[in-house]
Every structure is written in C-alpha cells, then in structure tokens.
Amino acid sequence: MERMDLLLTGIGRLVTPQGNKPRCGESMKEVCEIKDAVIAINQGKIAWFGPANVFQDQLAGSEVAVTLDIGGRLVTPGLVDPHTHLVHGGSREHELALKRSGVPYLDILAQGGGILHTVRSTRAASEQELYEKARRSLNEMLLNGVTTVEAKSGYGLSLEAELKQLRVAKRLDASHAVDVVSTFMGAHAVPEEYKGRREAFVDAIVGDMLPKVAEEGLAEFCDVFCEDGVFSVEESRRILTAAQRLGLRAKIHADEIVPLGGAELAGEVGAISAEHLLAATDKGLAALAESGVIPVLLPGTSFNLGLAKHARARDMIDRYGLPVALSTDYNPGSCPTESIQLIMMLASLHLKMTPEEILTACTINAANALGRGDDIGSIEVGKRADLAIFDAPNIAYLPYHFGINHTYGVIKNGKPAVWNRQIVATPEEEEAL
C-alpha cells in the first residue's frame, strides 16, 4: 500500500461480524475480534485492518495523510438503524397518560389519535420545519454511533404530504453525514377523509401515490402496516405487489399486535424484511426462514407500550435459524427514542440476545435488511469505512452499562463525523443550514 488517507491506531479492541450476507442462527455469535488493532483507510474505503504489530511489518513506509489515535477504545462497524419513522411533525406526549391507564394502541388510533394525530401535524408542517426536526433526530442517531438509517414516510397519507416527507428524507441523505434510505409507507393508516372507505384509499395508494413515488425516485422500498383494523393481508398483498411491479422492494409491518398472517405474506411476496413480529406464529416464522426474509425486531416499542410480550428472538435464532436485525423504530408514538444503544440493552434484557448477536443484529444483518450488505455492516477490506468508536472495553459493556451514550467517535466514509463526542460538521451540512 503506497498511500493512506487515514490511519486509525491505538484501537484497544476491534470487533466485527464478517462477510456480506446476513448471519443466520448460531452464526450470529461469530465475530472477529482483534486486540491492539490498526485500520487503514483510503478513498473512503477500508484498505487494511489487523494487529498493530503485523501492520508495522507489512505496511511500514506507506505514506499516511492523517493518523488518529483511538486511545485504547472499542471500534465496531458503524451501526445501522433499519426501521425508523424519521420525518414527521409534532409529538404525542399527551397520549402517555392514556397508554399508562391501559388504553390499547389500536383504540387510540380508532379514536383519531396515534398515527392520525401525527398526520395532522405533518401535513401542517412546512418542508423546512420537517427537515429541521428530522435533522436534529439524525444528529442524535449519529452521536449514538449510527451511520445509516432507514426513513419511512406514512405520516402524510395523501399524495402531496407523502411526497413532502420523502423529499425531506432525500434532502437529508444528500446533506447529512448519515446515509438515509427511504421507504414509502402510505399504507400506515387510513386517513380521516377516507374513513369508512378503506378500499378507495388502497386504490389511491396503488393508482396515484406509488406511481408518483416511483417516477420521482423517492423511495427504494414500500412498507405496509398489516394489522387488525389497519390493512388486511389481502390489501397488503395488493399494495406490495403493485410496488414490486414499479421496482420498489417490499417490507412489511407484520404481526405486531395480532397474528394476522403478515409474516406469511412477507414470505409469499419475498419481502426483504418483516418488522415487529411480536405476535408471529410458528407458521409465520417458518415462512420467513424458507424465503430468506430478515426479521427486524423493535424491543423499544414493546418496552414503551408496556407489553408483557416480546418478539421471540431466541426461537427465531435457535429454532428457525433466522438472521435477526434490531432497530429503534424511532417514531412519535410507540417508540420516541433515537438511541440504538438503549435498544441494545433491551435486546439483552427482553430478547435474551448475547452481545455478539446484538452487534451482528445492529450491523451486518441490519445492513442486509436495507440491501446494503455488500457495502456496509462489517469491517472488511474494500467496504465503506463506516466505523463507531466507543468508550468501552468490549461489546458486552455496551448493553451492560446502560442509560448513557458510549460513543466517542464516528468515522463516516473514511472521515471523522463525530470526535470527542462532538459532531464534526461537513461542508454539505453547513451549506444546507
């Protein structure tokens, strides 16, 4: 190697899953761990990594533009958050008392609250207001070690408002250090103006919204809230297959509250991921395994809703050999948190996942849930240099010492995006502001 743009030295411990494909079942525990490591970066890609003493032997004399001493800290791949509702207006803290008094989530929605409340706020907000609000949340995610997020629409529920959300997400992707992957989710709820006319709203999604989203290239994926009282299996199938014909890949909110058959539908249509899955049946989990669908689990949601039931992560991993991914489900209602590190703790506490499984679920499996396993999700030569640096001695310390942010630094595309717990603004971000 003749030249390196950036050399990271003094890495106390480097821990990463390996490979481009999702890690399934028992292989989720398999991670590469190197003490006293070095990472060499060139043109935004990982050029070399390994033990410091080997580096001295193999690459001595190479020209290095910048050297950063990691100070004995832990380095992992940049974290990936594959299920968020990043762009929305308003907040819903006024519903907290209802939830704590035992009013079910779907009942709040049926009364015009929940998603529909956020729809009203999102429609009323300007694009710039939505951009500023989402940018602040994206900053929090970056400070937590996240380098790529998925952002769903679904709080517009009209052609104009859905496009507004997706344009904000596209603008954030262009200006922010964090990569933003867009998902169209017009089928998040039935808006008030279509009350009692759900079939007509499905017609509008399929006939008006999806073609426009595809024409403008505003989304890579299409998601549907397949749930009792929201969208049926048949309606979800119609929407997802229409999206696939237009070139959008399928995702699905499946079996979150009622075992409706969303997981089975995910397998049937070949969705890239099925998300939530608290109520998924054995038949549903088998369908995911047979079709190679990635389950994206959201333990923050069941925690915040006070549910006694959690997704069956151990069955998914041990019995069905599934490649579990984890995400925040950041949204204004059921899970208003940007902290992926909180999700790591909840995955340990409620899903009974090991530290190695949690890291894999937040990196290579999450990357594959966004179709990006070839580029991100692990520390490998040739992959993008997206890295998280933690003030922690090992990966078990992250869920063990909970309630704080362990992130010291983030390297994004081979450049520092966070250092000494502070965001390093890029020229693109400064121009956007």
Side-chain angles (χ1 to χ4, degrees):
M1 188 186 307
E2 296 181 357
R3 174 182 167 79
M4 291 165 282
D5 294 330
L6 180 63
L7 183 67
L8 303 179
T9 64
I11 300 171
R13 195 178 301 251
L14 181 156
V15 186
T16 178
Q18 294 189 296
N20 294 344
K21 295 183 178 179
R23 306 293 291 181
C24 301
E26 281 293 310
S27 72
M28 286 186 64
K29 294 188 178 76
E30 298 171 5
V31 296
C32 169
E33 186 168 329
I34 302 172
K35 296 179 180 178
D36 190 18
V38 168
I39 300 175
I41 297 168
N42 196 40
Q43 296 183 340
K45 303 284 186 178
I46 296 169
W48 189 89
F49 71 97
N53 59 348
V54 176
F55 171 81
Q56 295 298 332
D57 295 338
Q58 292 191 359
L59 304 175
S62 298
E63 181 185 349
V64 179
V66 178
T67 299
L68 289 178
D69 187 344
I70 303 304
R73 295 179 174 89
L74 169 71
V75 174
T76 74
L79 305 182
V80 179
D81 196 345
H83 177 130
T84 84
H85 301 261
L86 176 67
V87 182
H88 62 266
S91 60
R92 302 212 303 263
E93 67 274 13
H94 61 279
E95 292 178 0
L96 190 61
L98 289 174
K99 294 173 186 173
R100 294 299 172 256
S101 66
V103 179
Y105 177 79
L106 291 180
D107 286 0
I108 295 174
L109 177 61
Q111 295 166 16
I115 293 169
L116 296 179
H117 182 276
T118 301
V119 169
R120 292 189 289 272
S121 298
T122 302
R123 289 179 176 181
S126 70
E127 184 172 314
Q128 185 62 27
E129 288 170 335
L130 293 177
Y131 175 85
E132 290 294 341
K133 187 176 191 302
R135 184 181 62 84
R136 290 192 294 271
S137 289
L138 210 51
N139 285 345
E140 290 296 329
M141 293 172 176
L142 175 61
L143 288 166
N144 262 264
V146 170
T147 51
T148 300
V149 306
E150 183 248 26
K152 303 179 191 292
S153 66
Y155 288 120
L157 305 188
S158 69
L159 176 59
E160 180 184 353
E162 287 290 307
L163 294 178
K164 180 171 65 172
Q165 281 189 271
L166 291 169
R167 286 169 182 151
V168 168
K170 185 173 183 177
R171 182 178 163 195
L172 286 164
D173 181 51
S175 65
H176 201 279
V178 176
D179 288 330
V180 180
V181 181
S182 288
T183 295
F184 168 67
M185 198 178 175
H188 198 192
V190 177
E192 291 168 310
E193 63 268 26
Y194 279 91
K195 188 173 182 179
R197 300 188 300 125
R198 193 166 68 180
E199 184 176 345
F201 183 58
V202 174
D203 288 343
I205 293 171
V206 172
D208 299 328
M209 295 187 196
L210 271 169
K212 189 65 173 176
V213 169
E215 177 189 338
E216 294 197 18
L218 289 174
E220 190 172 334
F221 302 98
C222 177
D223 199 344
V224 178
F225 191 6
C226 183
E227 185 57 70
D228 186 41
V230 191
F231 294 94
S232 69
V233 170
E234 293 75 19
E235 291 162 342
S236 300
R237 180 186 294 110
R238 182 185 172 202
I239 293 166
L240 293 176
T241 54
Q244 288 172 320
R245 286 194 296 269
L246 291 167
L248 277 68
R249 300 184 71 178
K251 289 177 170 287
I252 184 168
H253 279 52
D255 304 323
E256 178 181 2
I257 300 168
V258 175
L260 200 64
E264 290 91 328
L265 178 61
E268 175 192 327
V269 302
I272 190 170
S273 64
E275 317 193 352
H276 284 293
L277 299 169
L278 273 71
T281 64
D282 287 341
K283 181 180 178 183
L285 297 183
L288 300 183
E290 184 176 349
S291 299
V293 181
I294 298 173
V296 177
L297 306 187
L298 313 164
T301 304
S302 50
F303 168 74
N304 186 56
L305 292 176
L307 303 180
K309 187 174 186 178
H310 301 280
R312 297 159 54 197
R314 288 267 48 102
D315 278 349
M316 293 179 193
I317 295 169
D318 300 334
R319 183 176 171 187
Y320 293 97
L322 283 161
V324 167
L326 291 167
S327 188
T328 58
D329 189 21
Y330 167 64
N331 72 78
S334 59
C335 198
T337 183
E338 296 94 339
S339 175
I340 193 68
Q341 293 180 45
L342 171 63
I343 302 309
M344 291 176 157
M345 185 278 286
L346 294 173
S348 173
L349 179 66
H350 292 310
L351 304 187
K352 312 303 180 188
M353 293 173 67
T354 70
E356 293 80 10
E357 290 169 340
I358 291 168
L359 179 66
T360 297
C362 290
T363 54
I364 192 60
N365 285 3
N368 275 281
L370 297 178
R372 282 160 168 72
D374 291 343
D375 189 39
I376 59 173
S378 61
I379 298 173
E380 315 225 28
V381 172
K383 279 199 171 182
R384 196 185 309 184
D386 287 3
L387 307 167
I389 303 163
F390 298 107
D391 263 326
N394 50 60
I395 57 173
Y397 196 81
L398 300 178
Y400 156 75
H401 188 174
F402 66 91
I404 67 164
N405 183 358
H406 295 279
T407 307
Y408 175 84
V410 175
I411 305 296
K412 177 63 184 172
N413 292 325
K415 298 179 181 178
V418 173
W419 195 255
N420 195 20
R421 303 180 180 271
Q422 300 292 320
I423 290 177
V424 180
T426 65
E428 293 81 7
E429 289 171 301
E430 291 174 346
E431 182 179 344
L433 294 173

